[in-house]
Amino acid sequence: MEYSEFLQITQSEAGGDAGEAERAARAVLTTLAERLSRENADALIPHLPDEIRPWLRTERSAERFAVAEFLRRVAEREGVDTESAERDVRAVAVALREAVGNEDYAGLATRLPPDYTMLLPPP
């Protein structure tokens, strides 16, 4: 998948303009990188456009935090409220599912706590 396609999917799902879609993708994937183990993030990275890979790359251990903290961090990074952040997380998740495929996306969902499923569209 090309970078522009990833952003177009995000924009289509969340609304807004291309700049907002890029900010959302960066905020969501950077926060996801904090939540995932390096191994789990590394499994997704090869499927992503080159421009997006650094946002998901991590060298540290996974942090354990609830979905409310996930949304707070995304909202802070994006400069939006948590309601907008939740919409954007769902939009980026759709683009991520398209980029990595259903199998790897489903694997991601199983590696997150059950309360995160409210944010992730089904495979």
Side-chain angles (χ1 to χ4, degrees):
M1 172 181 287
E2 297 292 324
Y3 178 64
S4 61
E5 184 180 359
F6 191 97
L7 294 182
Q8 284 175 334
I9 293 169
T10 301
Q11 183 178 359
S12 174
E13 293 291 323
D17 61 30
E20 291 168 331
E22 183 177 46
R23 278 190 300 280
R26 180 186 301 265
V28 171
L29 295 176
T30 300
T31 306
L32 186 60
E34 293 172 342
R35 185 62 181 82
L36 292 176
S37 70
R38 180 179 177 191
E39 295 78 25
N40 290 332
D42 285 350
L44 301 174
I45 287 173
H47 303 286
L48 297 174
D50 291 342
E51 298 88 341
I52 291 175
R53 291 176 181 180
W55 302 342
L56 196 56
R57 189 160 281 123
T58 185
E59 295 298 324
R60 50 185 159 148
S61 300
E63 293 181 51
R64 295 182 185 264
F65 49 85
V67 71
E69 175 63 10
F70 186 89
L71 290 172
R72 188 198 66 74
R73 291 181 187 200
V74 170
E76 183 178 294
R77 284 189 168 106
E78 254 191 290
V80 298
D81 59 35
T82 54
E83 185 176 293
S84 297
E86 186 173 337
R87 178 203 62 224
D88 292 344
V89 169
R90 286 191 177 104
V92 173
V94 170
L96 186 62
R97 180 185 65 197
E98 295 299 314
V100 304
N102 282 336
E103 186 176 325
D104 286 327
Y105 179 80
L108 167 66
T110 63
R111 288 173 177 83
L112 294 169
D115 60 339
Y116 278 72
T117 59
M118 68 177 249
L119 298 176
L120 302 175

